[in-house]
Amino acid sequence: MSGGEDGWARLVKLLDEREIVLRTTGERLNYLAPTGAMDEEVTGLVRAHRERLLTTLTGAGAALAAAPAGAQQRRMHGSHAHSADPAVWNITQRITLRGPLEPERLTGALTALTERHESLRTRFLDTDLGVLQQVLANTPVELPVEDLRGLTPAGRAAALAEATDAEIRRPFDLAAPPLLRTRLLRPAEREWVLLLTVHHIAIDGWSLATVLDDLGALYRTGGPLPEEPGRMTDHACWERTVVNRAAITAAADHWAGVLRGAELSVDLPTDRPRPEQRSGHGETLGFRIPAAVAEAVGRYSAARSTTASAVLVAALARLFGSLSGAPQILLLLSNANRTRAADEKVVGLITSSMPILVPTGGDGGFAGLVDHAAEAIASAIDHTVTPFGLLLEPLRERGVHLPSSFPQILFAVQSTPPIVLDLPGLTAEVEDLPGPSARADCALNVTPDADGYAGLVEYDTDLFDRSTMLSWLDALVAGLAEQLEVPLG
């Protein structure tokens, strides 16, 4: 029989085996399927279980729209569930505003923002049909002003620090949106602090720029914006049609050819023995690559017909090679992954990481390292459709020995649109607030600015002391300057 639990189990199995993607808009059930997949058996089972499919997809009618979660969202959902501290996935911005802010106008703009970008009001549930993203109806944002003007200067500073720390450390429930939280504090007559926190499953660095750009536009206009943004549900459905089993197999075969036989563990000198399992505890340090060195990076990369990323990756490989004695280094390089025009304004987690395997030395000197890095990056970009995170088990099955502490080294060179908030009559200072956590041995992020590169490193405090990390950052900048023949003052 097509009905009952046996029929439902058969339908779920066939949907998975045949890679049929279901989604809903209201009460309408749609599907994307390979040619021939929706045969008479599947069609009959869908018809018999239509109401249960709609109930599962929409959460018994709570969702306005539903679709499978994207590949990166599925991995993030699992990471959140298994994290010792799920707040590690919070993205918190402290925005200091100076001038005649209108709080009610800002509140309206924030409500319009969550209406515009579905990911901010989406919940994620693990169901018989896999991890789903369910878009809920918009609700007005509440933004009461927390007035600190009556406190002493020390009291205001303490209240701001306490509020900031609370936002950083408070985890989200992925089944209970919105996945955006806001607080507005007023430490002075013409000074305001907006704390904006979003879970990483709903946003990445690229879409953070879109969120702040749209927030400014909505505050200025007071009404809907003319252009419709892309939707994460659309991206996820498209992705499921291209990141299928055949694509995963092909990608795993490719990366196995690149990585098999290589020593992928980096034996960095630690201040304490490596624990069996990461605690997630970490700290963050800022550093700077001076303007003169950054300009030299640009000249050098242009001369070798490559990118600044290749030069910086080569410098990292050289540093970690000198620290560990390893002949090659595997790091994960962040990639915005916005190859389709339809995804340019999508707010959601699309960014992925590419494995880059580069030597740490050799007869070609630093120029040879840069060339190797450039080739590795170009090859990785050609194979980014399938997220590397989906390939870990297939690679192990193919004999690739990824370290138990994988990933060890993360690196990002920001190429996203600028993270700014433009409100009329106000100045806005946007500051990213990383939490006391670490996702890897160390994760480095550099962003070009007028003074060179602003850098940030997040490191595992189970392994490293602050003094160790400072010495490594100094060595990175000094080594880069030496190779590019730039004197440091």
Side-chain angles (χ1 to χ4, degrees):
M1 292 180 62
S2 61
E5 288 300 319
D6 289 345
W8 173 255
R10 175 65 177 166
L11 173 59
V12 170
K13 184 173 184 289
L14 288 174
L15 292 173
D16 177 60
E17 289 178 348
R18 300 188 184 184
E19 300 183 292
I20 298 169
V21 180
L22 297 180
R23 67 180 303 178
T24 62
T25 303
E27 289 295 306
R28 183 172 181 176
L29 179 64
N30 299 312
Y31 68 87
L32 296 169
T35 302
M38 292 292 293
D39 62 10
E40 186 175 336
E41 180 184 13
V42 175
T43 302
L45 286 168
V46 168
R47 190 177 297 116
H49 294 277
R50 183 178 184 277
E51 290 306 313
R52 186 166 179 179
L53 286 170
L54 283 170
T55 296
T56 302
L57 284 162
T58 67
L64 302 178
Q72 296 295 80
Q73 290 177 321
R74 293 198 303 276
R75 292 195 68 240
M76 179 61 67
H77 187 270
S79 296
H80 176 96
H82 295 104
S83 290
D85 178 14
V88 67
W89 304 114
N90 288 2
I91 295 178
T92 301
Q93 307 293 303
R94 180 168 56 199
I95 305 172
T96 302
L97 302 165
R98 294 181 176 88
L101 178 71
E102 299 177 41
E104 291 184 2
R105 188 174 172 185
L106 179 60
T107 302
L110 286 164
T111 297
L113 183 74
T114 54
E115 174 68 34
R116 177 173 173 81
H117 294 297
E118 294 179 348
S119 290
L120 303 178
R121 50 187 170 91
T122 293
R123 71 180 179 188
F124 294 84
L125 298 179
D126 197 356
T127 73
D128 289 348
L129 302 176
V131 179
L132 300 176
Q133 51 178 324
Q134 299 178 336
V135 181
L136 304 189
N138 198 32
T139 56
V141 171
E142 295 183 2
L143 192 67
V145 177
E146 301 175 45
D147 197 340
L148 310 180
R149 288 175 293 176
L151 302 178
T152 65
R156 289 195 296 271
L160 282 171
E162 182 181 351
T164 299
D165 187 64
E167 281 304 305
I168 290 171
R169 294 177 181 274
R170 178 183 162 200
F172 282 93
D173 179 354
L174 299 186
L179 298 181
L180 172 146
R181 294 196 304 262
T182 54
R183 290 181 70 174
L184 183 62
L185 302 101
R186 189 177 190 180
E189 187 65 29
R190 292 174 61 84
E191 181 177 326
W192 315 73
V193 175
L194 174 65
L195 298 176
L196 188 150
T197 306
V198 190
H199 194 284
H200 200 0
I201 201 170
I203 203 168
D204 55 20
W206 184 282
S207 47
L208 176 60
T210 298
V211 162
L212 292 187
D213 187 54
D214 284 356
L215 178 59
L218 290 164
Y219 183 90
R220 291 192 299 272
T221 64
L225 303 182
E227 294 183 7
E228 285 292 317
R231 292 179 170 83
M232 191 63 202
T233 47
D234 291 340
H235 172 86
C237 288
W238 166 80
E239 185 182 62
R240 286 287 291 270
T241 65
V242 295
V243 183
N244 50 30
R245 287 188 179 86
I248 290 172
T249 297
D253 289 342
H254 166 78
W255 286 114
V258 173
L259 302 175
R260 189 188 291 116
E263 177 52 59
L264 303 179
S265 293
V266 184
D267 189 18
L268 294 171
T270 63
D271 296 303
R272 285 166 291 283
R274 185 181 294 277
E276 291 186 9
Q277 184 176 359
R278 296 187 196 276
S279 71
H281 298 154
E283 289 185 0
T284 304
L285 280 174
F287 68 100
R288 176 158 289 281
I289 299 176
V293 180
E295 290 165 5
V297 168
R299 291 192 299 270
Y300 193 89
S301 60
R304 301 199 73 80
S305 300
T306 185
T307 63
S309 294
V311 179
L312 295 169
V313 165
L316 274 180
R318 186 172 176 275
L319 169 67
F320 287 126
S322 69
L323 292 169
S324 66
Q328 54 198 356
I329 294 291
L330 176 70
L331 57 82
L332 292 184
L333 181 64
S334 182
N335 175 45
N337 209 20
R338 305 272 172 158
T339 55
R340 301 192 312 155
D343 294 330
E344 185 176 353
K345 295 296 184 181
V346 171
V347 168
L349 178 55
I350 297 177
T351 295
S352 60
S353 295
M354 309 180 297
I356 308 296
L357 182 66
V358 291
T360 61
D363 296 337
F366 186 68
L369 295 185
V370 172
D371 291 344
H372 275 290
E375 292 170 8
I377 292 170
S379 176
I381 288 173
D382 288 340
H383 295 87
T384 54
V385 172
T386 302
F388 189 70
L390 298 181
L391 306 177
L392 302 186
E393 285 308 313
L395 285 173
R396 291 186 176 110
E397 293 167 1
R398 287 162 171 78
V400 176
H401 300 294
L402 292 167
S404 58
S405 56
F406 181 86
Q408 285 186 267
I409 304 167
L410 305 175
F411 185 47
V413 182
Q414 293 297 336
S415 59
T416 62
I419 309 295
V420 295
L421 178 60
D422 180 15
L423 302 181
L426 295 117
T427 61
E429 178 185 340
V430 181
E431 180 184 2
D432 182 60
L433 299 176
S437 53
R439 299 159 291 164
D441 287 9
C442 59
L444 298 100
N445 183 301
V446 295
T447 303
D449 61 21
D451 299 317
Y453 286 100
L456 208 63
V457 62
E458 170 193 293
Y459 65 96
D460 188 334
T461 51
D462 287 344
L463 303 177
F464 306 114
D465 291 332
R466 178 185 177 91
S467 58
T468 297
M469 202 55 53
L470 284 170
S471 69
W472 291 6
L473 295 172
D474 288 344
L476 174 64
V477 176
L480 189 57
E482 179 185 0
Q483 295 301 319
L484 300 180
E485 300 180 347
V486 178
L488 291 175

